[in-house]
Amino acid sequence: MKEIFINYRTGDGEKTAALIDQELSRRFGQQHIFRASRSIAPGEAYPDALLAALRGSSLLLAVVGPDWTNFRTRLHDREDWVRREIEEAFTCELPVVPILDGRKTNRLSKADLPPELARLADLQSIPFDTHETEAGLRRIGDLVTEMVPELDDLARAAETSPASDTMTNSIGEVSGTAVQSRDFTGDVGGTVVKGSHGPVHTGSGSIYQNSRHVSGGRHFSGDGMTYFEGDNHGGVQHRFGEPDRREDDGR
């Protein structure tokens, strides 16, 4: 189902129609937006495609360019598809919003319209300033959100969702249980290293500073928050330098 139908005339407003299509497709998904030159596949019967899309839509945006009413002859032609699309929207009781494309585009006047389209002049329109396209497109997108609330605003959901947090492994291959975390504040219960082979570094600074031995083959460093358990082979590194080979003084 195409919930948003973009009505426009080639030669008067098609560039703005393409911009609106691009923005609404970004926010709500391309499958929910219908613009004839993009949505009708080559070889497809366009009268059937246009009418089917209209009857399955929830809103019609009529892009009215500065020369829109100058196509007066075509507007009075019952076979003119710009006219037929708007008439069909009125028949299906779809909300229709005129988009006034450019600063030189004035509100529609009933005197310039065939009786079947005279209702357009009474509808509240949205001015679209081509010199401020970003603000104009955002306003149209916000209007669609209000008028067709069943559509999911994908862009807004992406902006409000929390960024995914990634974590990388910095300890290489591990045999047995290993826990890796990011930043901690406060006591997290100590760090235990069992049966290490080769250099081990658990933080900055000398691991022998204020160190002391405890029975049972454990070695505590600093305030006792980091210790080694079991047989450890190789030097203990600090500041990622050479192994510290000083004998522990037992303090």
Side-chain angles (χ1 to χ4, degrees):
M1 177 182 289
K2 307 288 186 181
E3 284 85 355
I4 310 301
F5 190 102
I6 301 175
N7 167 273
Y8 66 98
R9 185 179 295 285
T10 301
D12 184 70
E14 74 271 22
K15 291 182 179 179
T16 294
L19 287 174
I20 294 172
D21 179 14
Q22 184 179 27
E23 173 65 8
L24 297 185
S25 295
R26 182 185 72 85
R27 289 186 60 166
F28 307 103
Q30 192 178 77
Q31 71 276 16
H32 297 295
I33 314 301
F34 183 91
R35 180 171 62 94
S37 59
R38 175 184 62 78
S39 303
I40 300 179
E44 189 175 2
Y46 74 87
D48 296 338
L50 287 170
L51 293 175
L54 267 169
R55 292 164 184 167
S57 294
S58 303
L59 173 66
L60 182 140
L61 300 176
V63 180
V64 178
D67 293 325
W68 201 80
T69 55
N70 293 336
F71 291 86
R72 193 171 299 185
T73 302
R74 295 174 68 176
L75 284 174
H76 283 78
D77 180 1
R78 292 184 178 276
E79 296 303 313
D80 177 56
W81 271 102
V82 171
R83 167 178 169 160
R84 288 184 65 180
E85 289 168 6
I86 296 173
E87 282 191 83
E88 184 68 21
F90 287 157
T91 300
C92 296
E93 299 184 346
L94 294 181
V96 175
V97 178
I99 308 294
L100 304 182
D101 182 23
R103 297 178 179 179
K104 296 181 180 180
T105 304
N106 298 318
R107 288 180 60 88
L108 295 172
S109 169
K110 289 183 179 182
D112 297 324
L113 301 171
E116 294 81 2
L117 299 184
R119 183 177 159 193
L120 270 177
D122 295 330
L123 298 177
Q124 182 67 13
S125 58
I126 294 181
F128 182 83
D129 190 341
T130 52
H131 296 284
E132 298 180 358
T133 57
E134 185 176 347
L137 292 173
R138 183 169 58 250
R139 182 180 181 187
I140 294 172
D142 292 343
L143 176 71
V144 169
T145 298
E146 295 175 4
M147 298 188 70
V148 192
E150 61 268 24
L151 283 179
D152 294 327
D153 192 335
L154 306 177
R156 184 171 296 179
E159 291 172 358
T160 57
S161 63
S164 60
D165 205 3
T166 58
M167 185 180 298
T168 58
N169 178 21
S170 61
I171 58 176
E173 293 187 9
V174 177
S175 176
T177 303
V179 178
Q180 177 168 305
S181 61
R182 294 191 64 182
D183 299 331
F184 281 99
T185 301
D187 184 359
V188 295
T191 302
V192 182
V193 182
K194 293 186 177 182
S196 65
H197 296 270
V200 176
H201 180 272
T202 62
S204 61
S206 174
I207 199 164
Y208 284 97
Q209 183 179 0
N210 300 322
S211 62
R212 53 194 173 84
H213 270 303
V214 180
S215 61
R218 297 181 177 181
H219 179 277
F220 283 78
S221 173
D223 58 2
M225 292 306 301
T226 302
Y227 64 86
F228 299 89
E229 181 175 332
D231 296 329
N232 299 283
H233 305 278
V236 177
Q237 283 189 313
H238 58 87
R239 300 189 181 274
F240 301 99
E242 292 296 322
D244 192 333
R245 303 187 184 281
R246 291 174 296 175
E247 294 295 325
D248 186 80
D249 58 7
R251 288 182 298 180

